[in-house]
Amino acid sequence: MRFVQDIPNPQFRIGLYAWNSKYIVKIEAGPYEQTYKVSEMDLIDPAAVPSLLDQEFLTKVSQRFQDMDADWQATGDRNNAF
């Protein structure tokens, strides 16, 4: 996987990568990660990726991270793991 660029964001660590004819957007928050893959054929210029990460999209990403954390905590509670 080849690193292309960091995408500045105050809330998340966002990186853009290239691998197997795909661009990979990796969004990290604490111990959690979301990954989005886009075919290079569907995206003319990787410089356009930051504009795709608009506020509506990032709000849903944030909610998904909260859901991931709640799911992880719930499984830990059910299984007396934490």
Side-chain angles (χ1 to χ4, degrees):
M1 187 169 6
R2 179 178 61 86
F3 174 77
V4 176
Q5 73 179 78
D6 276 321
I7 299 172
N9 183 278
Q11 189 175 6
F12 308 115
R13 181 168 185 232
I14 304 175
L16 179 64
Y17 301 85
W19 185 64
N20 279 353
S21 300
K22 291 182 175 69
Y23 289 112
I24 299 170
V25 179
K26 186 188 298 189
I27 305 171
E28 299 175 56
Y32 305 111
E33 178 180 295
Q34 294 178 46
T35 303
Y36 298 86
K37 297 177 183 176
V38 182
S39 171
E40 287 181 354
M41 303 300 250
D42 293 338
L43 197 59
I44 297 169
D45 182 7
V49 170
S51 66
L52 296 172
L53 308 178
D54 62 13
Q55 190 55 50
E56 183 176 346
F57 177 78
L58 292 175
T59 296
K60 290 182 179 185
V61 166
S62 180
Q63 181 59 54
R64 200 165 293 114
F65 277 128
Q66 292 172 25
D67 292 344
M68 290 169 73
D69 185 58
D71 293 343
W72 185 245
Q73 293 303 317
T75 194
D77 292 345
R78 278 192 312 273
N79 295 287
N80 298 315
F82 307 129

